[in-house]
Amino acid sequence: MMVLKNKLLKTIWDELSGHLDWLKHHTTWLRAIVGVMYFLLFTILLSSNIFVSTLQLEVGEPSPQLITAPWTKDIVDQVKYNREKEAAAKGVKPIYKADEEYLALLTKELGNAFAALRENSASEDERISELKKTRLFASLPEGVLTSLIETLPDELDKSEKVGRDIILTRARDLDIGSRTSKDVAVFRDRIKAELDQSDLTQDAKVFFKVFMDLEVSQPTLIVDESTTEAVRAAKRAEIKQEVLHYKANQKIVGAGEIVDETIYQVLVDYGLINSQNTWKAASGIALIVLIGIASIAAYLYQYKRDVFLLANRLVLIGLIMILVVAIGRAVIALNLGADFNTLSGMLIPVAWATMTVAILVGVDIAIMVSVVLAVFVAVLVDPALSTSFSLHAGVVALFGGIVGVYSVSRLSQRSDLARAGIFVSGVNVLMISGIALSSDMRLAVWGVGVILGIVNGLASSFLTVGALHWFESGFHITSSVRLLELSDPNRPLLKRLLMEAPGTYHHSILVGNLAEAAAEAVRADATLVRVASMYHDIGKLKRPYFFIENQFTQDNPHDKIAPTLSSLIITSHVKDGLELAKENKLPLQIQDIIAQHHGDSLVSFFYHKALEENENVPEETFHYEGPKPQTKEAALVALADNVEAAVRSMKQPTPGRVEGFVRKIIKDKLNDGQLDQCDLTFQDLDRIAMAFVRVLSGIFHSRVEYPEMPSIRESSSNDSVNKKPSEEVEESETAQTKKQPDSPEGAAEAKVSQED
């Protein structure tokens, strides 16, 4: 039975391992699974408070139990407020205006009628016959129509003007004009009465009365919707909100009491009952979350493809954001008191997330995370986004997060993290003060908000320091903080290097200075190249005295062994360095630079020495194993390593000779193909050369000659007494340089070959 059980467990484990291996090779599916997982987690966290209700109540139903206020809170009586606003709006009577479109039609009809009366191209009988074809003239008595035809044109013009003015003026009058269909008949009667009192001829009066009966058939006034709605809005604005003050444990509704609309609203505000739109609200939050995650993913895919392809970076970004939202959920649940509960969102440490992402992943990605988290914080404070509190919390989170990013964007020492917390606290105080001034916030509330903003900034800094190590270890990321720790001279490897190989140690320090200056010139990671330079030659600890910078006697062990063995010892320091780096758990980036800082270049000094003994010696034996530098940082360390070793052996290193020699070394590395696999441009190489020369000029500066000092002690040797210190230095240097080849290039080649 136990055997079968073990076999079953082994089968399940093998199956699970197979699926995990499949996911590792199908990273698209892995990223999709990570995205879905974080989408669900964010949605649950942001919408959780709308599902925590326990009561099922409706307006008009009795309460099954006594319900009291969980905490002190001021609640707006929204139901009464809405009711009073609508009542005020309904109290506004419609505002009317003339129906200009309809009145223009009436004017046109009058004009056409009088134009027909003026027409005299035919006989009178023919004109009467033609006019009676229209309904208006057919309705006139025979004598009236004949009289109108015979009226002179001037009289017709006068009659038309008087009648039109009476009709249209009264039609536009807001008191006389007709507003509804029922008012049309009254309006016609009033116009007819006014026509009777006018000085029009009797025939003209009959014509206009018939016109009123036939043509004026609808209201002449219509409702002015825009003006009416503006007045109603003004009336609504005059209504003030009524605030209900509830103390903790105060009764809201008793057992058996009917739940009216006001009580229902209070229970909803406290989150004690389920809302009818719970799932609708959750769907809206899910949509916001989807847009936020998609925005980050699209940005990474478009502008940071290298990060997008690394599943562990995506998991890290999502994990940090989830932790901040989870902390925010806990913070929102805190009871700060009735007056200060709305400020709880100011405590959510968004800056912690943005600073951590900036340090571990990238500054521009952290800015995007800051924007998305600010939206999430606003939703967290108020899922409905119906109050100003959510906007306030979101704005504080946004600017605090962005300032946190810029505070650590140039991290060069540990104190920068503490300073970042102060900067975040400062911008939080300023933002909260701006909100207080714009929203007429009470002084006490502003004071508490300022305190919360300061706590937020300092907590973000502390959380960043505390969590950084765990994120680095868990996701195998080397941050600038970790690099700063490794640059401590008291680290075991560096201490060993100083004690056992002091020449190599000082060489590494100078290489670091050169590489750091070049990195700043080409916008590479200056901190990484400086720290990697300090460790790039740790493999020499295994056999320090086989490297010329550590030889303090006249004996050179290479004089006693074959060139092939010397080359093997020299090249093996790369492999030995990698082993030491792995034993001491140095970051992968530093291990890569250790492996790549010589590429697959030739140990030319011992190769040429071997050729003197045997012309058929294979060149492959004298090459480093590689690989060639793959990154800007590795290439910079490689170039700085060669330049420092070579220039140090030059005779009379004037600025001009140093610059020419530096450019020659870089050109030789380029021609040898050692820079083929990194992304340095020709412009970068020129900047690197200038940076090297600038640093080297400070090292190999000219010295002033000391004046001759008087003797302070009698001695048997006058030459010893009168010799200048500068002459002693010169003779010492001359004695040493006589041992080197004559040309600077030869000296450099020998120096580099034996040191490396």
Side-chain angles (χ1 to χ4, degrees), residues 10 65 69 242 248 252 270 278 296 323 339 401 519 655 705:
K10 186 176 185 302
Q65 64 189 54
E242 183 176 339
I252 299 176
Y270 270 114
T278 297
I296 294 177
L323 290 175
D339 295 330
E705 184 175 351

Side-chain angles (χ1 to χ4, degrees), residues 21 216 224 251 257 261 322 387-388 406 409 579 585 663 692 703:
D21 291 338
V216 181
D224 188 345
K251 171 187 168 183
E257 294 180 0
E261 292 181 346
I322 282 288
T387 64
S388 60
Y406 285 114
S409 59
E579 291 176 357
K585 297 181 179 179
R663 292 187 180 276
F692 284 168
R703 297 184 178 91

Side-chain angles (χ1 to χ4, degrees), residues 408-429:
V408 299
S409 59
R410 295 285 184 179
L411 195 65
S412 59
Q413 51 190 354
R414 258 180 288 269
S415 61
D416 289 343
L417 286 174
R419 191 159 46 247
I422 296 174
F423 288 155
V424 174
S425 297
V427 76
N428 286 347
V429 169

